[in-house]
Amino acid sequence: CEDAESSETRLRLCQELWDKIKTDTEVLQDELNRKILDSLLDFTRKCSSTRQNSDWASQMRASEIPTAALMLGVNIPDHDMTFQSLSDMLKQSVSPHVASVQAKECVALKHLMKKVLERLMDTVVVVDDEDEEENVETSPRVHRSVHCSLGILCDWYTARTKVGAQTTVDQQQPPVVIIFKDLEAFNPRVLQDFILICSQYIDRLPLTFIFGIATSPSTIQHMLPHSVSSLLCIELFQSLSCTQHLATVIDKLILTSHIAFKLNGKVMQVLIGVFLYHDFSVRNVIKGLQLALLEHFHSQPLSVLCCKKKQALFNVTQLSKPNLDRIRQLSSFKRYVEKQEAQEQVNLMTDDSHLKEVCQQLIKDLHKYHKNYYPILRCLHTLTSSLPRYPLGKQIRELHLICLANNVWENEDYQSAMKLVKMLAKGELVSLLQKCVEILQLSKSKKMSPVPSFQMYKFLSCISAATEITPTVEASIASPVKNLQKKTDLFQLQKTLLEMNESRRAKRLSPFENLRNEALELIDNLVKSHLFPPESQPLYEVCYYSSSATVRRHLNATPRTSIQAALSNPYHYLQNDSLKSEDGTVSNAAPDICIAYKLHLECGRLINLYDWLEAYSTVVLAAEGNDPDSEHFGKVDEVKHARFIRAVSELEFLGFIKSTKQKTDHVARLTWGGC
């Protein structure tokens, strides 16, 4: 009963966390795309109003089809969300006549025309006489079916836009917007013919095209000849790059104390690696985050404490005996216990009530750690992100990964970064310190003392004043080199060099240099106080998901390995007890393709089909429980023959075998090794 209640609590907390992440992602997506979407909306409104002007330039422009070339980047999985937002905004504020098409559904011109008319007119479109006869028999909306022609669309548009005389012209003629989601995938000939046809109706139909381009604007020139592209009035729009999008998502969803769920360094590296080396899809990164969230709440019973502080403190009081024992088994808690006195260790390991009290304090400390960690991380990133060669990384995620791995102040790159910061010009240093003050002021709370922010502001004011006043430096000391005689011995030279070294050490720093060193020392102390790895915190396991192998296995799929595992051990996926077998064998009750696959592993490069069929038939007859001594045992009937042919065809489709011209009754084996 306790386990069931704990599972329900974890499910509820997981759902609440995912709902918050999903909502924040949608809001963030709208904010990032707002600028480009607003520009597209203004473009469509401007094109619609231009058609109403009577000057010569407007009339020449009206003979062309307004076209927006939207550069979205190669992160194809993210495009659907952008086009959905664009389509909704166009329908709400510009025109109700919007149609979106994809290349996979428009392999021929008639299919493209059909999809455009159906989505604009919301009716069944008949391509030819044969399709019409088919629709008469099958379509429930046959009374609304129309022929596939832009002339029909023009008549429909004219009928829809007939309104009263008091309505403005812009409202009378809203544009007809056609969105080509993946321009590169369209058949160039189909696209050319469609544009040529549309250009013949531009005086009757206010068309506007939007091209979704993943690669380069030159794609339009490569796909369309000049005779076709000259019919388009093209304007280029550039969306936010996927790397900037990812940086914003990480900053808002991962590097924040408002979401209790966290990823450790290895899991983050897997998600970022999939993004950088596979698809550049921020949407898939968020899916990976969702996967990690589900796995964490499913595999970690103590994830009932992965929530807001108030709820977590209450859940500590409701922990069951098994969960308290799990806390005692956590490696971080064991390290915490080892640092306590002997009597305290005994109480923690035996007294459940005392353990709950201590866990509440540890949960408070964990939340305090997160409240302090992220502002100091941003301050350090602000100071080091513009240094030459980026010793601590150009993106904040790189610095975050360094901090997750070990003590960042022990890193050689950190030491070199602080030396480079000391070499910055006064104006650059003042600007960076001003940004740090703003970060610390925004993060002021009960968890972080206001002293660092006040001290940083004080240093900033003093440094700004020091930049306006010429620093007073001790009068330059006369160089002993000038006092050297033309002829001198080794002892005199050594004495002179020692005096020069002492004079350099005795040289007093300027006021600016003193203030700069004090400010950087304050930053260094904050780093050493708050940027230690999460593994140093007791009970960090309740919030941090660390199974990078699980995330990699789910996101980096290996189809061949999965197929071979399924064919060799069907029980692994089907979970049917009758399919259980010893290692290296397949149950005779397994599916036909599994039996055929296992038998083909026992053959060489060429497989005799008749021998294969005989072996298959023997295994299947044994599964049916037939008597081996009967005279019909071993004979292949038509049903078994058909089942065998289907299994062989499936193996050929999967790429395990192929037909060969060497022997007509043989097939060639293509794979070796495996499961």
Side-chain angles (χ1 to χ4, degrees), residues 47-66:
C47 294
S48 179
S49 61
T50 301
R51 291 189 177 94
Q52 314 304 327
N53 297 331
S54 57
D55 58 283
W56 180 82
S58 298
Q59 292 299 324
M60 289 297 295
R61 182 65 62 86
S63 64
E64 301 173 343
I65 302 176

Side-chain angles (χ1 to χ4, degrees), residues 312-346:
L313 295 177
F314 173 77
N315 290 345
V316 169
T317 63
Q318 305 298 315
L319 288 176
S320 61
K321 176 67 175 176
N323 281 339
L324 292 175
D325 292 337
R326 291 187 180 99
I327 289 179
R328 294 187 175 103
Q329 297 300 319
L330 294 178
S331 58
S332 63
F333 187 76
K334 288 181 179 179
R335 291 193 297 268
Y336 171 78
V337 172
E338 291 172 357
K339 298 177 183 178
Q340 308 303 312
E341 297 179 356
Q343 184 58 42
E344 179 66 13
Q345 293 181 6
V346 173

Side-chain angles (χ1 to χ4, degrees), residues 435-652:
K435 293 179 182 179
C436 291
V437 170
E438 294 173 358
I439 293 171
L440 293 175
Q441 288 179 341
L442 288 174
S443 61
K444 280 194 302 185
S445 65
K446 297 179 181 179
K447 303 300 178 185
M448 175 172 283
S449 172
V451 175
S453 175
F454 175 75
Q455 290 179 334
M456 188 70 68
Y457 183 77
K458 181 180 177 181
F459 287 138
L460 182 62
S461 302
C462 295
I463 291 175
S464 300
T467 59
E468 299 173 2
I469 303 173
T470 304
T472 59
V473 186
E474 188 181 43
S476 59
I477 302 174
S479 175
V481 177
K482 296 180 179 179
N483 300 328
L484 284 176
Q485 301 176 0
K486 293 183 179 180
K487 294 182 178 180
T488 183
D489 56 9
L490 182 60
F491 175 77
Q492 184 65 29
L493 177 61
Q494 185 179 8
K495 181 180 177 181
T496 305
L497 292 175
L498 288 174
E499 289 177 358
M500 292 175 61
N501 189 29
E502 290 296 330
S503 66
R504 288 176 181 173
R505 291 183 179 179
K507 183 180 179 181
R508 191 159 54 91
L509 297 176
S510 67
F512 165 73
E513 291 172 332
N514 285 323
L515 291 170
R516 178 198 62 196
N517 292 342
E518 291 178 9
L520 295 182
E521 184 179 358
L522 174 62
I523 293 290
D524 185 61
N525 291 334
L526 290 174
V527 168
K528 293 179 179 178
S529 301
H530 301 298
L531 288 190
F532 35 80
E535 285 79 1
S536 62
Q537 295 295 303
L539 303 187
Y540 82 95
E541 293 94 340
V542 303
C543 293
Y544 282 82
Y545 180 71
S546 58
S547 181
S548 59
T550 302
V551 176
R552 184 182 293 107
R553 185 174 67 252
H554 283 86
L555 296 184
N556 291 345
T558 52
R560 177 180 171 182
T561 303
S562 301
I563 292 172
Q564 289 179 325
L567 295 178
S568 300
N569 184 19
Y571 175 78
H572 178 72
Y573 290 99
L574 299 180
Q575 295 295 312
N576 188 335
D577 292 337
S578 63
L579 299 178
K580 284 186 177 180
S581 60
E582 299 178 358
D583 295 339
T585 62
V586 174
S587 170
N588 51 18
D592 294 337
I593 187 174
C594 297
I595 298 174
Y597 173 78
K598 187 61 180 178
L599 293 173
H600 113 286
L601 293 179
E602 301 172 359
C603 301
R605 188 177 65 86
L606 294 179
I607 306 175
N608 187 306
L609 285 173
Y610 182 78
D611 294 341
W612 196 5
L613 173 61
E614 288 290 330
Y616 166 81
S617 177
T618 302
V619 175
V620 172
L621 288 173
E624 295 175 353
N626 294 337
D627 184 9
D629 297 330
S630 63
E631 60 178 298
H632 297 289
F633 187 83
K635 293 185 177 180
V636 181
D637 57 19
E638 294 180 354
V639 175
K640 293 183 181 62
H641 195 183
R643 289 167 56 186
F644 173 75
I645 292 174
R646 182 178 63 181
V648 171
S649 300
E650 290 172 349
L651 288 175
E652 183 178 10

Side-chain angles (χ1 to χ4, degrees), residues 276-344:
L276 294 176
Y277 300 110
H278 286 78
D279 52 16
F280 291 103
S281 172
V282 178
R283 183 180 179 184
N284 288 345
V285 172
I286 296 173
K287 286 183 178 180
L289 179 62
Q290 182 186 16
L291 170 65
L293 179 70
L294 292 173
E295 286 287 340
H296 178 66
F297 277 90
H298 176 262
S299 60
Q300 176 58 274
L302 296 177
S303 58
V304 292
L305 306 181
C306 182
C307 53
K308 294 182 179 179
K309 185 177 71 172
K310 185 176 180 180
Q311 179 66 34
L313 295 177
F314 173 77
N315 290 345
V316 169
T317 63
Q318 305 298 315
L319 288 176
S320 61
K321 176 67 175 176
N323 281 339
L324 292 175
D325 292 337
R326 291 187 180 99
I327 289 179
R328 294 187 175 103
Q329 297 300 319
L330 294 178
S331 58
S332 63
F333 187 76
K334 288 181 179 179
R335 291 193 297 268
Y336 171 78
V337 172
E338 291 172 357
K339 298 177 183 178
Q340 308 303 312
E341 297 179 356
Q343 184 58 42
E344 179 66 13

